[in-house]
Amino acid sequence: MAKMAASVVESGEDAFRKIFKFYKRREPPPDLRDVTDFCRGVPGDKIFPAELDPAAVSDEAAAGVGLKPVRDWRAFGLQGYPGFIFISNPFLRGSQAFWVRQCLKTYPQKPNICNLDMHMCPADTQDIWGRSAHELGSPSSGKRQPKTLLEKLRWVTLGYHYNWDTKTYSANSHTPFPADLHSLSVQISAACGFPEFSSEAAILNFYRPDSSLGIHVDESELDRTRPLLSFSFGQSAIFLLGGARRTDAPTAMFMHSGDVMVMSGPSRLLYHAVPRILPAPQERAEVLEHLGAASLQQGGGGVLEPVSDADWAVCSRYIQSSRVNVTVRQVVAPGRSLPGTPPPSLLRTEGGPTVGYRDGPAGGDAGKRKRRNSGSDDAVET
């Protein structure tokens, strides 16, 4: 890939776009030997251990959201990308099932906003899980069946809802941010040196085997000094992290289930993309097992709950061929607010299913946003 990237830059072409297409192509399939794999890799010239702050997160607080003690996390930095931290699956065994269930069953609930709202009536998207669970939870008949609503889900927004047309956030399009996801995010951010991070917005992207995420920069947040957190569940993906310009050739890396990325400092505003979804490697296959009812290690006040056999049957069937990514971000600086922001007491739920949200599409025109399943390198999502 290094030789290919060099030739692209020399010719003055968009290096990122060229490499995106290289990894996205189906025939012939791309050579993946140059893709960085933090799961198997050891610190070397390109990868180095990242410094975390174990004292910032107690073992009990970590276990309460399904994480190992911070001292046991395998965290890495990448040469040439200051502020970028890659944490290789810090989750306790069995705890990912809870977060997968939340992403598929709880967070898409109304009045959160999803892509299906843009071309379906509210009554039809009121219970996406309920209208999909029976088919996904039943053994496959081998015959091709129509896609369920859950399989048609492409994105869900939480907290401040992003307006895809104006590329802005608005206080007029806001619902309380889920307390459990906030708890997970603050433990990760605190361990990475950001103890005052506030979860104010999140985008869930749901990837099918032929999906991709276009080249983009996350720059719509008013406060860009806070990190962007990314959580990956289910199947694997190739993630491309570039530079401040599209002529900068990106570094390709694998993201597996349970992996967490933190983009802070200079890396916060770098171009990035996901050109390809891949089957999970054997060493990560354990997350696809039925571990939802396993004994979960959690401290007092933890958010984890066992996942029922019925719920896990649906989740397992879904993630056997799909990937879910959650990006959490802080929108405004501490002490600041968007015009018309509701009182702080209304900005976050106190746990459990999200309730009391305002129904309707973000900004009124979010349905015009283009999202291509098979993926276009120009289809941008933040």
Side-chain angles (χ1 to χ4, degrees):
M1 187 186 77
K3 292 182 179 180
M4 182 185 68
S7 66
V8 170
V9 174
E10 288 174 4
S11 65
E13 296 181 37
D14 181 342
F16 203 130
R17 180 185 176 93
K18 190 77 171 285
I19 295 175
F20 181 99
K21 289 186 174 181
F22 171 76
Y23 282 111
K24 183 184 173 185
R25 76 185 187 195
R26 300 292 166 178
E27 294 295 337
D31 187 341
L32 304 181
R33 288 178 295 179
D34 288 335
V35 181
T36 300
D37 194 342
F38 293 95
C39 176
R40 300 174 181 175
V42 294
D45 293 338
K46 194 173 185 180
I47 303 173
F48 59 90
E51 293 186 9
L52 301 178
D53 184 5
V57 180
S58 68
D59 292 357
E60 183 179 57
V65 292
L67 298 171
K68 302 173 185 176
V70 177
R71 60 181 176 274
D72 295 333
W73 295 5
R74 297 176 62 248
F76 305 96
L78 202 58
Q79 292 289 353
Y81 298 95
F84 176 76
I85 301 174
F86 192 105
I87 307 172
S88 182
N89 188 19
F91 289 91
L92 291 165
R93 183 175 175 83
S95 65
Q96 285 191 53
F98 170 80
W99 294 109
V100 171
R101 195 275 308 274
Q102 294 298 90
C103 290
L104 297 180
K105 183 177 182 179
T106 303
Y107 300 150
Q109 289 180 6
K110 289 289 163 284
N112 283 331
I113 299 173
C114 71
N115 63 293
L116 300 179
D117 297 322
M118 310 312 153
H119 53 84
M120 298 177 67
C121 67
D124 290 336
T125 61
Q126 187 69 32
D127 186 10
I128 295 173
W129 174 273
R131 297 185 60 184
S132 307
H134 177 72
E135 291 184 30
L136 286 178
S138 303
S140 176
S141 63
K143 298 180 180 179
R144 186 170 183 176
Q145 301 292 333
K147 287 184 179 180
T148 64
L149 290 183
L150 196 56
E151 292 171 306
K152 293 179 180 179
L153 199 60
R154 292 297 174 262
W155 54 263
V156 170
T157 53
L158 310 174
Y160 287 113
H161 298 285
Y162 187 71
N163 186 311
W164 307 106
D165 292 327
T166 64
K167 301 186 186 304
T168 60
Y169 296 95
S170 168
N172 296 323
S173 185
H174 175 274
T175 54
F177 195 90
D180 50 12
L181 184 55
H182 171 69
S183 297
L184 174 64
S185 301
V186 297
Q187 308 308 329
I188 294 287
S189 57
C192 293
F194 299 91
E196 297 181 357
F197 178 80
S198 178
S199 310
E200 295 176 335
I203 298 176
L204 281 69
N205 281 319
F206 301 83
Y207 295 84
R208 302 297 289 172
D210 60 349
S211 298
S212 63
L213 173 66
I215 305 167
H216 69 285
V217 176
D218 294 282
E219 56 185 358
S220 297
E221 293 72 35
L222 301 184
D223 181 7
R224 301 168 191 167
T225 65
R226 304 291 171 170
L228 177 73
L229 309 181
S230 175
F231 302 92
S232 185
F233 301 108
Q235 296 303 299
S236 299
I238 293 178
F239 179 79
L240 299 179
L241 181 61
R245 302 169 301 175
R246 287 176 65 119
T247 52
D248 297 326
T251 294
M253 63 194 79
F254 289 112
M255 283 195 71
H256 302 305
S257 191
D259 289 343
V260 179
M261 291 193 310
V262 179
M263 297 175 67
S264 67
S267 78
R268 176 66 177 77
L269 293 174
L270 299 182
Y271 280 100
H272 53 281
V274 176
R276 196 179 193 90
I277 305 303
L278 300 165
Q282 186 61 40
E283 53 265 39
R284 292 296 178 91
E286 62 191 36
V287 71
L288 307 181
E289 298 173 3
H290 185 179
L291 298 174
S295 177
L296 298 176
Q297 307 172 47
Q298 70 169 39
V303 302
L304 297 188
E305 298 174 350
V307 177
S308 69
D309 290 352
D311 281 359
W312 184 244
V314 178
C315 293
S316 179
R317 173 83 173 274
Y318 181 90
I319 62 174
Q320 281 174 6
S321 61
S322 302
R323 171 178 180 258
V324 182
N325 182 255
V326 184
T327 56
V328 180
R329 65 281 311 274
Q330 181 169 332
V331 176
V332 295
R336 301 291 184 90
S337 61
L338 293 170
T341 298
S345 61
L346 299 180
L347 295 182
R348 186 166 296 119
T349 59
E350 294 303 321
T354 50
V355 294
Y357 291 43
R358 182 182 67 81
D359 198 2
D365 295 316
K368 297 179 181 178
R369 173 184 177 236
K370 295 182 180 179
R371 171 67 158 93
R372 301 179 177 93
N373 277 357
S374 57
S376 164
D377 58 309
D378 294 323
V380 176
E381 301 173 36
T382 65

